Amino acid sequence: MKRTRRQWVTLGLAAVLLASLCVLAAFWQWHRYTDRQAQIDLVETNYTAAPEPLSAFVTGPGDTLAPEDVWRPAEVTGEYVPESTVLLRNRPVGGTPGFHLLVPLRTELDGQETVLVVDRGFVPLGADATEPALVPEPPSGEVTVTVTLRADEPASDRGAPSGTVVRINTDQVLDQGPEGGAWADGTTVGAYGQLRDEDPAAAETPVALPRPDTDPGSHLSYTFQWAIFALGAVGGYVLLWRRETRAATVTAGELLAADDPGGTSRPRRERRRRVDEDYEDALVDAAQHQARDTSSA
């Protein structure tokens, strides 16, 4: 059945709407791809750089880490405060559940006492799954630590058991220590470090943290898929319209040609065959009458 003008308009609007949504999804995936690629470029540039003193990135208490310095290695000399160790929850490594050990490191920047939280590594769960299997002690006394610098994570509004946190936010980490964070007031910076190396080394160390993930993901392929879907929506409408329009303009000659591939009319050929048969029957009847007349004479 031939579609009405209203039906064609409705189908056209639906095709345009579907194509528009697909284009929006394609642009969203493209922006996610470019953002992810920028993060990967920053990691690949900074993570392999040569370590520099911590003072090259934060100058003293109250300073924050610049975005372009994230993932940079830094060296800092100071003393750990092991009695203020806090556990980071819900941050598995290699698919293994456990805790990260967050230990404050007291140092000095530009003549001012400064505290930097150091993520010393990962420890698996213990037997009851609420405590770590072990908590290795950091080196005592003065130690030179090489860390990967990270910006403070946003403070969490979720509750956590005493002595644990769900995000690495310096103020929250220090507050969860056994003595609270008052002892470090006015000495912190807006950054933390992921341990790479300690000198002298500890007698027992937690599991080292893995290199940052640089997998670009599937955002680029999703971008192309959504673009193809948008083209398919418009192309499908055009194809349907052309097929129906062409079907409505087929001529009688095209129908006869489709019915008779030889280019002749089958009904006409059948009528000619019947005429020929009638003529032959008439000739036979005439011959039989003539034979009977001859025999009677």
Side-chain angles (χ1 to χ4, degrees), residues 5 12 59 66 69 82 101 105 121 123 171 183 191 202 211 239:
R5 182 185 297 273
T59 57
D69 290 331
L101 301 182
L105 179 74
V123 289
D171 290 339
W183 64 272
R211 292 174 62 91
L239 181 62

Side-chain angles (χ1 to χ4, degrees), residues 247-260:
T249 57
V250 173
T251 64
E254 291 174 334
L255 289 174
L256 290 175
D259 186 60
D260 184 10

Side-chain angles (χ1 to χ4, degrees), residues 104-117:
L105 179 74
R106 185 185 284 116
T107 186
E108 191 173 282
L109 292 178
D110 195 23
Q112 303 177 79
E113 181 178 320
T114 306
V115 173
L116 176 73
V117 171

Side-chain angles (χ1 to χ4, degrees), residues 263-280:
T264 60
S265 175
R266 185 175 294 111
R268 181 176 299 175
R269 185 167 61 248
E270 291 175 353
R271 288 195 299 270
R272 183 180 297 117
R273 185 182 299 116
R274 289 196 296 271
V275 170
D276 291 343
E277 291 175 353
D278 292 342
Y279 180 70
E280 291 174 356

